[in-house]
Amino acid sequence: MKASQFYINTLKEAPADAEVVSHQLMTRAGMIKKLGAGVYTYMPMGLRVIRKVEAIVREEMNRAGAVECVMPVVQPGELWSESGRFQTMGPELLRVKDRHERDFVIQPTSEEAVTDIARQDLRSYKQLPKNLYQIQTKFRDERRPRFGLMRGREFVMKDAYSFDRDEAGAKASYRAMAKAYRAIFDRFGLTYRAVSADSGAIGGDLSEEFQVIASTGEDAIVYSTGSDYAANMEKAEALAPAGPRPAATQALTRTPTPGKSTCADVAELLKLPLTQTVKSLVLATDELNEQGEIVKSQVWLLLLRGDHDMNEIKVSKVPGLDKGFRFATVPEILAHFGTKPGYLGPIGLKQPVKLVADREVALMADWVCGANEEDLHLTGVNWGRDLPEPDLVVDLRNVVAGDAAPDGKGQLAIERGIEIGHIFYLGTKYSVAMNATFLAEDGKPRHFEMGCYGIGITRLPAAAIEQNHDERGIIWPDALAPFTVVICPVGMDRSEAVKAAAEALYADLLAAGVDVILDDRGERPGAMFADWELIGVPHRVTIGDKSLKEGQVEYQHRRDGEATKVPAGDIAAFVKGRLLA
């Protein structure tokens, strides 16, 4: 490709709504152009990156035995009603009606469509296992789309779905995909971690996320300093605290704490460590009638150590809270505790509640909590003596750096990451809901065991930029760059020697299969170099009259501080060697 023929449109300034580096640089480099909130045109420069992502993903998926297809973006609502997701998914699922008032959805993922294919075509165990994948446009109606391609509404995803005869086969398919994903992300040249994860709205049990490490990442990744344990914050656990509970050494005392409504303020006032305080979180669950009206509510009190935060995913798996919960209203809190939030505790309640203690709190002695009276706290609180043992003891909290790893090897550390892939073992969640069966060896129908596997095709370039940039622009890994090599002839329009050398090198690299672009636009050197540094092409060759007369040209990698002089006759071999390094 020659630059004069290509579509290059760089900007000096990023748009005001570009909050993160990838959004700023992709816009400035002319890779994307905003069409609407969370909806972008992939411009030629950006599309070349996306196509390279797709090619690597496609090669490794095919190598792993998956078979490509393409399912519709617009799907019948009745399929989604079969799985239950038409009713249960929130407003992020875009629902539309056609002219006949029939329901359709703009697919964010395709479990229903692919399960419908399997129940029609895969009739016998002899046809299994099968893995179908697609690279297709998706849409999620994000409440607040932001960060460019990192959290857009329309995006491209690779989603794959495996079908097996039994759990053992499904887990083998899962392991094959986990191996393929590592091969894919290794080829991209990015620093990433595979972490244990919660399956979220898609459902399922065994689950891993693939996270690109970046300081601007939205996700917290937890890992052990002494083993290969890694999980996202939603799923991460610390080593369970060891008992027994210490004996009580203090008397229960009502202690004035005027105006101190937080654990941190109370600890500071009483000159106690924050770890000796206990915070109270009040939730509620509702029982509904057939009309969806609340007929009965249950109030829950969760106790966590003062320096810990509640993990909503863990709470959502607590028996009794696993069907859905909400934070209690102020009237409910007043009715059960007799005071406003900030001074709540488990002693002296007006009405009974379900009491759930985090496992750290369950082993505490002489702790501090609210007295259910404004400007008062209780000190010296002890289980058994001052209040009954909790109804449930479970892990309710987010881990913190320095916690012991759950396998007992090393401590937990936390870094930021950007999710670019997620794999799930689904089991029979969708096959049962949609009655998708095959005939097993015994001649009886069985439900498919399924897995699903996603990669954010358009999100991945943005994640790569968050990890690879400097003050001048993007620094692409070779595998992702829109062009791998750029030839920058200085004064090509004025020097036949420069033009001839540039054209010869261009032809040589093209013949060798190198993805090269020749900048023949006649730009001044400063403007030309600034464009390619912004765009992030990793390898640059500069050819000028003066250096040619000395028999040399200049090579510079995007990460290099200075150019390297190379004999003009050796430059093609030199560049090819760098590409193989």
Side-chain angles (χ1 to χ4, degrees):
M1 180 60 65
K2 292 187 177 180
S4 60
Q5 300 169 320
F6 200 65
Y7 197 101
I8 299 173
N9 184 35
T10 58
L11 301 173
K12 290 185 177 180
E13 300 292 335
D17 65 345
E19 301 174 71
V20 295
V21 169
S22 58
H23 190 188
Q24 295 166 357
L25 292 179
M26 291 192 87
T27 303
R28 288 187 56 211
M31 295 188 172
I32 59 174
K33 192 174 291 292
K34 183 177 178 180
L35 186 63
V39 179
Y40 293 86
T41 298
Y42 309 128
M43 299 300 290
M45 194 70 75
L47 186 60
R48 289 183 68 89
V49 178
I50 291 168
R51 292 290 183 250
K52 289 190 174 184
V53 173
E54 290 177 352
I56 289 174
V57 169
R58 185 173 280 115
E59 287 173 12
E60 295 299 335
M61 291 299 294
N62 293 347
R63 186 174 286 121
V67 183
E68 187 172 8
C69 65
V70 176
M71 288 170 274
V73 174
V74 180
Q75 300 180 0
E78 62 192 56
L79 277 181
W80 285 67
S81 291
E82 284 189 58
S83 71
R85 290 206 295 177
F86 190 86
Q87 298 80 11
T88 59
M89 279 193 80
E92 66 272 13
L93 177 64
L94 186 60
R95 300 162 174 87
V96 297
K97 289 183 180 290
D98 69 4
R99 67 180 68 195
H100 304 293
E101 290 299 304
R102 292 176 298 208
D103 288 316
F104 286 83
V105 303
I106 310 299
Q107 60 122 10
T109 179
S110 281
E111 283 79 6
E112 287 79 4
V114 78
T115 302
D116 184 56
I117 292 170
R119 69 183 175 183
Q120 293 182 60
D121 296 345
L122 303 180
R123 303 182 181 278
S124 167
Y125 71 92
K126 295 178 182 179
Q127 296 171 273
L128 302 176
K130 284 290 184 291
N131 189 332
L132 292 174
Y133 79 94
Q134 64 174 345
I135 297 175
Q136 176 63 297
T137 299
K138 308 291 193 297
F139 190 93
R140 288 180 187 158
D141 197 4
E142 294 276 359
R143 179 191 298 255
R144 190 185 166 204
R146 53 183 184 154
F147 303 156
L149 300 189
M150 293 277 285
R151 184 168 289 194
R153 297 163 78 201
E154 183 184 276
F155 54 96
V156 177
M157 185 170 78
K158 187 284 299 177
D159 44 326
Y161 307 90
S162 60
F163 295 87
D164 283 272
R165 67 176 75 177
D166 54 27
E167 183 177 331
K171 290 186 174 180
S173 293
Y174 177 96
R175 290 191 294 272
M177 285 294 97
K179 181 179 178 182
Y181 270 46
R182 284 167 172 81
I184 288 168
F185 297 126
D186 286 345
R187 285 183 63 181
F188 288 142
L190 302 176
T191 302
Y192 71 93
R193 285 187 185 273
V195 301
S196 179
D198 186 78
S199 298
I202 291 181
D205 300 311
L206 192 61
S207 176
E208 284 176 276
E209 287 176 355
F210 291 79
Q211 298 265 359
V212 166
I213 307 305
S215 60
T216 53
E218 289 187 279
D219 299 328
I221 303 168
V222 180
Y223 65 97
S224 171
T225 59
S227 70
D228 60 0
Y229 174 79
N232 65 11
M233 181 59 77
E234 292 174 338
K235 182 130 183 181
E237 296 183 8
L239 184 67
R245 179 192 297 154
T249 62
Q250 299 176 14
L252 180 66
T253 305
R254 286 163 55 86
T255 303
T257 53
K260 307 300 182 183
S261 60
T262 69
C263 289
D265 287 344
V266 170
E268 183 180 15
L269 175 70
L270 302 181
K271 294 182 172 51
L272 295 172
L274 186 57
T275 55
Q276 198 170 331
T277 65
V278 169
K279 65 173 68 170
S280 297
L281 302 172
V282 187
L283 306 180
T285 52
D286 298 320
E287 185 179 320
L288 307 178
N289 60 20
E290 292 182 357
Q291 289 72 43
E293 301 165 332
I294 298 175
V295 296
K296 183 181 178 182
S297 295
Q298 171 69 57
V299 171
W300 299 66
L301 176 61
L302 276 55
L303 299 181
L304 284 86
R305 210 169 71 185
D307 61 327
H308 288 158
D309 293 323
M310 183 181 86
N311 183 309
E312 289 199 28
I313 296 298
K314 293 179 182 179
V315 171
S316 71
K317 296 179 179 178
V318 172
L321 295 171
D322 52 351
K323 303 300 182 184
F325 64 86
R326 59 179 172 82
F327 285 94
T329 64
V330 172
E332 286 172 326
I333 291 172
L334 290 173
H336 287 77
F337 297 87
T339 190
K340 65 181 183 180
Y343 302 93
L344 306 181
I347 297 176
L349 300 173
K350 303 295 183 184
Q351 295 184 42
V353 300
K354 281 275 192 181
L355 183 59
V356 184
D358 180 72
R359 56 191 187 181
E360 299 277 351
V361 174
L363 290 179
M364 288 174 64
D366 300 329
W367 38 280
V368 179
C369 67
N372 291 321
E373 187 174 336
E374 190 169 352
D375 293 336
L376 279 176
H377 278 75
L378 298 176
T379 59
V381 181
N382 284 274
W383 296 104
R385 185 192 72 183
D386 304 318
L387 76 165
E389 297 290 336
D391 297 308
L392 288 170
V393 175
V394 290
D395 180 14
L396 297 173
R397 70 177 180 93
N398 286 331
V399 301
V400 295
D403 281 337
D407 55 11
K409 300 175 182 178
Q411 293 183 324
L412 296 181
I414 300 173
E415 59 191 355
R416 307 303 298 180
I418 300 166
E419 181 188 342
I420 51 171
H422 204 159
I423 59 177
F424 307 82
Y425 163 53
L426 291 173
T428 58
K429 175 182 174 68
Y430 291 91
S431 58
V432 168
M434 298 181 66
N435 194 28
T437 63
F438 65 96
L439 288 180
E441 287 108 322
D442 59 8
K444 295 179 181 179
R446 276 198 202 142
H447 292 101
F448 294 103
E449 293 277 346
M450 292 175 58
C452 75
Y453 319 93
I455 290 176
I457 299 293
T458 45
R459 183 179 234 212
L460 197 142
I465 292 170
E466 294 292 333
Q467 191 178 90
N468 297 276
H469 68 272
D470 62 15
E471 69 282 356
R472 293 174 290 167
I474 303 166
I475 307 174
W476 288 113
D478 284 11
L480 296 178
F483 295 96
T484 314
V485 178
V486 59
I487 301 170
C488 293
V490 178
M492 181 177 178
D493 54 337
R494 301 186 304 273
S495 170
E496 285 299 324
V498 168
K499 181 178 180 180
E503 293 278 8
L505 177 60
Y506 174 64
D508 194 340
L509 294 178
L510 273 182
V514 175
D515 192 8
V516 58
I517 185 167
L518 171 62
D519 193 340
D520 59 345
R521 296 175 297 166
E523 294 280 357
R524 291 178 294 104
M528 181 165 52
F529 297 159
D531 272 352
W532 296 111
E533 287 171 345
L534 174 60
I535 292 167
V537 173
H539 304 272
R540 186 179 83 201
V541 177
T542 304
I543 301 174
D545 228 2
K546 183 179 178 181
S547 60
L548 274 181
K549 288 175 182 177
E550 298 171 353
Q552 295 181 323
V553 297
E554 292 184 346
Y555 165 85
Q556 187 168 359
H557 188 275
R558 180 62 180 79
R559 292 189 184 276
D560 293 346
E562 295 181 354
T564 301
K565 291 190 175 183
V566 180
D570 298 339
I571 186 60
F574 181 88
V575 170
K576 293 171 195 175
R578 286 300 302 260
L579 296 180
L580 294 173

